[in-house]
Amino acid sequence: MTLELSLNQQPAHLRQGSSIGQPLTRRDGFLKVTGAARYAADNHPPGMLYAVLAVSSIARGRVALLDVEAAKAHAGVVEVMTPENRPPLATDPDAKNNPFMFRLDLLQNDHIRYPNQTIAVVIAETLEAATEGAALLSPRYEAQPARVGLDGAESFVPGGVGIGSPAVHHKGDVEAGLKSAATRIEATYETPAQYHNAMEPHAIVAAWDGDSLSIDTPSQGLAMAQGRIAGLFGIAPENIHIRSPFLGGGFGSKGMISGPQVLGILAARLVGRPVKLVLRREQMYGPVGHRAPTRQTLRMGMDSEGRLTAIGHHARTASSTFDDFFEPAADASHTLYASPAIATSHEAVRLDTGTPLFMRAPGEATGSIALESAIDEAAAACGMDPLEFRQRNYAEVEPMTGKPFSSKALRECYTQASERFGWQRRPLQPRQMPDKDGFLTGWGIGTATFPAIMFQAEARAVLRADGSGLMETGAQDMGQGAWTAFAQIAADGLGLDIDQVDFRAGSSDLPNAGIAGGSGHTATAGMAIHNAGAAVITRLADLATRHEASPLFGAGNEGVLARGGRLYRRDDESRSESYGEILARAGLAEIDGRGTGTPDSASREAYAMHAHGAVFAEVKVDPDFGQIRVTRLVGAFAAGRVINPRLVRSQYYGGMIWGVSFALHEEAVTDRRSGRIQNANLAEYHIPVNADVPSVAALLVHEDDPYVNALGIKGVGEIGITGTAGAVANAVWHATGVRPRRFPIRIEDLLG
Ligand code: MOS
């Protein structure tokens, strides 16, 4: 297939350097380990007060009584904000002008629609006084029965799922495919509600100066947050300055500005002083999003050679009673396995919870755990090795669209990971590998996939007469190492050593870098940085090649290379000139250039774009007690160009460990009577610690993808979770002979 590629699709790096690819340590690592990195809540402007949320202990109803007087009488309490005195807003918090404008709880009335919804904000001179004041409010409620669980309300077919995919979608005739199959499987899997639980809770320090607003708060998307706040308060976005240099994790929960963050701004407005508001851990279980629970039924048919004849994937999920976000779980079946017939469908119920939102691989994580488990069941039904079954059925073109995609890279992932793991010694039947201590050992595999998404970003590059450079973009570092990877791209874009480049990000007064989400930040902001560098180098090359006094005179703009702070003639590298010399001769202190990062629509029309991977897991199960331990994980991933192998590997480790968490640990448990989450804390909401994950290897499979963007970057943040959860579940089956059907896998599921 041939394709006309636009200019930004020409292979990059023709004239820039080689910081990209180096395994640099995080540039902000020293600041973080020494405590010098200033997170949002570390900022204490003069005169600052502390705000504490009082939150609902019921799931549904209204606030009948609040003892505001008792709270206000408490020493140190300055003000109590309730629906009575909350400052006015320019936009109704319940307005929804676009699908990404999520409704917020900003004390607009006395209604309660989920547990942990804010019912008042107490503002005091100290955190202690505010906390005690909040306790003195002693709310009384008129409560109604909570709707909980996937059967707790009537279901309906949502208008769309995820970011606007159709809820029901198909190609071919699944019923006919199942009918003609030699072998069939059908299985239903359940995944629980999960909460993001970033180490840093949502926090804000807000200060008003007239109609200008200064904010320190963690955000995965500064311009979007700025726009939302501007709309709510009826002020110009330029009047809002958001600083977000460091995030202690986000995982999607900091993508949109949340209700509690806006309440911090309202509190500052009310008292006319700077206010700091930090969510307590349990207060994060409600107003800042979560991963919705799912129940998914997979039906598959296979012919006599073990080829899929049909895939049916149906998912039931939940949203809140007042807003729409639907986990697109069944869509995972659109992009992995070839079948002449594929049908996906979703239904949903409305529950008395906070609105679910994007959470690390939304849809792919929940959907792939069911799909990978079902594929394993299908392989077993055909009497085939599960790796061989996947290799036979893996699609050569994107299953739903027929577009070419990088299945070659996936095949390489299967090969490299299985060799490293030692898969070929695996017995087909379960319960065949007891170890010397009597534990049942099992090996499982899961395919990993994530789309290579790009958003929109801008960057500004400067070259200065002293030979140094500056790169500015409002990018966000959630802890993944964006400061470092972007600085590497900036250095190459400017043809400078990384230490000569001043890289600025994390502030809303810099060019809009889009969002750190969808595993698309490095590709999007990275391309903006690359293009800004190219723009300023082009200006510099014009200055040199058009000036008779330059050794580069007459080389033509494309005839020079930028490297180490000098421009060189491509055809004669003995002729060169430093950036400083070129700017000095032109009498310029500095020059700048701008660049954008944007998806190339022509190549996206023609090609399907995904990162791929394969994960192999070993588990050991105690035959008497059913305790499961993951003892080995080997993943291989192909995700385009690797900007920094150390950071990329660390993203894969994080994703894989979250996959273990999904399979074995994580679950928000709802009290069916009250609708409250019973384990809203890090002691009882289980996540894996070091002892739960003894050995993890992530192999970086080389992949040149010339179509995704000129730098060939795909995303690495979310893919690790998608292969691992299924691999662990399948290893549990191989160890025990029991098919896990609900997650996290419980000890009692393995008994009997
Ligand atoms: Mo992620 S769910 O795109 O922050």
Side-chain angles (χ1 to χ4, degrees):
M1 157 171 289
T2 58
L3 179 72
E4 288 219 334
L5 296 178
S6 69
L7 247 188
N8 80 349
Q9 293 294 306
Q10 283 177 3
H13 266 252
L14 283 181
R15 66 195 213 169
Q16 283 116 329
S18 58
S19 273
I20 291 176
Q22 300 302 316
L24 304 184
T25 54
R26 281 175 172 73
R27 305 182 90 213
D28 50 357
F30 188 79
L31 292 178
K32 287 183 174 173
V33 297
T34 57
R38 189 175 277 271
Y39 286 80
D42 298 330
N43 293 285
H44 287 189
M48 186 192 82
L49 296 173
Y50 295 80
V52 165
L53 301 182
V55 300
S56 162
S57 60
I58 67 164
R60 179 187 179 196
R62 59 174 287 270
V63 181
L65 199 72
L66 279 177
D67 195 348
V68 173
E69 290 315 310
K72 281 181 92 164
H74 189 69
V77 171
V78 173
E79 187 54 278
V80 177
M81 186 165 72
T82 69
E84 301 292 314
N85 64 346
R86 188 266 270 154
L89 290 168
T91 305
D92 178 357
D94 280 319
K96 196 170 178 87
N97 300 341
N98 66 66
F100 296 106
M101 188 168 171
F102 288 94
R103 298 191 166 99
L104 302 173
D105 290 283
L106 302 177
L107 296 171
Q108 56 264 46
N109 52 47
D110 62 5
H111 296 179
I112 292 168
R113 37 199 194 185
Y114 56 92
N116 289 334
Q117 180 189 320
T118 302
I119 56 173
V121 182
V122 178
I123 306 143
E125 297 287 350
T126 64
L127 176 63
E128 292 77 10
T131 306
E132 289 156 11
L136 289 169
L137 287 168
S138 312
R140 295 283 176 275
Y141 302 101
E142 281 169 20
Q144 289 178 272
R147 289 156 290 192
V148 302
L150 284 173
D151 300 303
E154 198 148 318
S155 75
F156 60 96
V157 177
V161 296
I163 51 168
S165 316
V168 178
H169 195 34
H170 83 282
K171 71 153 200 186
D173 185 339
V174 163
E175 301 308 325
L178 287 170
K179 212 164 180 186
S180 69
T183 315
R184 282 173 283 274
I185 63 120
E186 172 169 347
T188 298
Y189 307 90
E190 292 206 23
T191 65
Q194 301 178 342
Y195 283 76
H196 302 79
N197 272 305
M199 289 246 281
E200 178 204 26
H202 293 64
I204 188 162
V205 177
W208 287 94
D209 178 6
D211 264 348
S212 292
L213 180 56
S214 164
I215 301 173
D216 295 283
T217 199
S219 168
Q220 292 175 236
L222 290 168
M224 224 165 43
Q226 197 185 32
R228 181 69 163 123
I229 296 166
L232 283 165
F233 286 90
I235 57 179
E238 317 72 84
N239 284 8
I240 303 169
H241 184 194
I242 309 178
R243 287 170 299 271
S244 192
F246 305 106
L247 280 76
F251 315 119
S253 73
K254 292 167 183 167
M256 318 277 158
I257 204 82
S258 67
Q261 287 163 294
V262 179
L263 286 165
I265 302 170
L266 280 163
R269 186 71 141 183
L270 181 66
V271 296
R273 284 168 67 177
V275 163
K276 165 163 140 177
L277 189 153
V278 182
L279 286 189
R280 288 206 303 263
R281 178 62 55 182
E282 74 273 17
Q283 294 175 341
M284 294 174 66
Y285 288 71
V288 298
H290 65 281
R291 194 197 296 285
T294 73
R295 182 188 298 146
Q296 301 174 57
T297 299
L298 271 292
R299 296 183 300 153
M300 291 176 181
M302 288 74 64
D303 67 16
S304 56
E305 286 170 355
R307 275 180 219 285
L308 288 161
T309 59
I311 302 174
H313 192 161
H314 178 73
R316 177 186 272 238
T317 185
S319 191
S320 68
T321 57
F322 57 94
D323 212 343
D324 295 333
F325 180 82
F326 302 100
E327 178 83 3
D331 289 0
S333 286
H334 290 173
T335 51
L336 278 169
Y337 300 102
S339 169
I342 300 174
T344 58
S345 53
H346 297 83
E347 64 180 322
V349 295
R350 294 201 179 275
L351 304 178
D352 297 309
T353 67
T355 304
L357 260 181
F358 313 99
M359 178 163 157
R360 195 100 170 182
E364 288 84 5
T366 42
S368 71
I369 196 169
L371 176 62
E372 287 302 304
S373 296
I375 280 285
D376 230 63
E377 300 206 27
C382 295
M384 283 176 69
D385 174 86
L387 172 58
E388 194 193 329
F389 184 80
R390 284 174 173 80
Q391 286 168 327
R392 179 158 309 172
N393 283 292
Y394 198 77
E396 296 293 340
V397 295
E398 191 180 47
M400 240 22 195
T401 62
K403 291 181 186 180
F405 79 154
S406 37
S407 54
K408 235 171 71 190
L410 178 82
R411 294 187 185 284
E412 189 57 29
C413 294
Y414 282 140
T415 304
Q416 290 195 20
S418 64
E419 276 172 14
R420 169 71 78 91
F421 187 85
W423 180 265
Q424 56 285 0
R425 294 182 287 114
R426 178 186 181 275
L428 198 55
Q429 298 301 321
R431 296 183 76 95
Q432 301 299 307
M433 301 198 299
D435 75 359
K436 62 179 183 351
D437 301 314
F439 291 105
L440 302 169
T441 307
W443 290 354
I445 173 180
T447 305
T449 183
F450 201 81
I453 299 168
M454 283 181 73
F455 304 100
Q456 299 279 342
E458 293 152 25
R460 175 175 174 261
V462 177
L463 287 174
R464 303 169 179 137
D466 67 1
S468 70
L470 164 70
M471 187 68 74
E472 294 183 323
T473 185
Q476 295 83 212
D477 194 320
M478 294 200 278
Q480 80 276 46
W483 279 102
T484 309
F486 288 145
Q488 290 176 263
I489 298 171
D492 281 6
L494 291 170
L496 289 171
D497 189 82
I498 194 164
D499 296 325
Q500 297 171 285
V501 179
D502 182 5
F503 178 70
R504 294 188 193 156
S507 180
S508 67
D509 56 1
L510 300 172
N512 177 3
I515 60 171
S519 298
H521 200 34
T522 310
T524 312
M527 279 307 301
I529 290 166
H530 171 78
N531 288 331
V536 75
I537 293 289
T538 297
R539 282 192 66 187
L540 187 74
D542 273 346
L543 290 177
T545 57
R546 291 177 184 172
H547 203 291
E548 286 170 11
S550 169
L552 304 172
F553 177 65
N557 199 302
E558 289 299 315
V560 295
L561 298 164
R563 194 172 65 226
R566 301 182 75 81
L567 294 185
Y568 294 84
R569 260 192 95 112
R570 271 181 206 279
D571 56 6
D572 176 6
E573 291 202 16
S574 70
R575 292 162 74 179
S576 74
E577 195 171 30
S578 77
Y579 296 177
E581 287 165 332
I582 299 167
L583 290 174
R585 186 176 50 238
L588 294 167
E590 60 175 52
I591 54 172
D592 73 348
R594 287 176 182 271
T596 58
T598 180
D600 184 82
S601 51
S603 32
R604 277 170 197 264
E605 266 307 300
Y607 293 92
M609 298 179 183
H610 301 269
H612 295 283
V615 180
F616 292 76
E618 177 182 87
V619 303
K620 288 187 187 286
V621 181
D622 186 311
D624 299 317
F625 297 112
Q627 189 192 41
I628 305 161
R629 302 198 72 88
V630 176
T631 45
R632 267 193 316 138
L633 289 175
V634 176
F637 301 93
R641 186 191 295 269
V642 169
I643 301 300
N644 179 321
R646 182 194 302 265
L647 299 177
V648 164
R649 228 175 247 120
S650 130
Q651 285 295 289
Y652 292 146
Y653 294 157
M656 291 165 80
I657 291 165
W658 201 330
V660 172
S661 190
F662 202 124
L664 299 182
H665 300 273
E666 230 177 307
E667 174 178 29
V669 181
T670 303
D671 182 329
R672 300 191 67 85
R673 294 159 305 177
S674 67
R676 295 173 65 176
I677 291 163
Q678 292 172 301
N679 58 340
N681 57 70
L682 280 180
E684 295 163 293
Y685 184 93
H686 293 165
I687 53 168
V689 297
N690 283 355
D692 294 311
V693 194
S695 163
V696 184
L699 312 177
L700 310 186
V701 174
H702 181 87
E703 181 184 28
D704 284 315
D705 189 324
Y707 307 115
V708 280
N709 49 63
L711 287 170
I713 303 170
K714 298 181 177 179
V716 297
E718 291 164 279
I719 187 172
I721 188 174
T722 69
T724 308
V728 171
N730 295 332
V732 168
W733 171 77
H734 190 236
T736 64
V738 177
R739 281 286 174 200
R741 292 273 173 75
R742 58 175 185 153
F743 296 90
I745 305 166
R746 296 159 180 83
I747 285 174
E748 61 266 33
D749 294 339
L750 302 183
L751 302 177

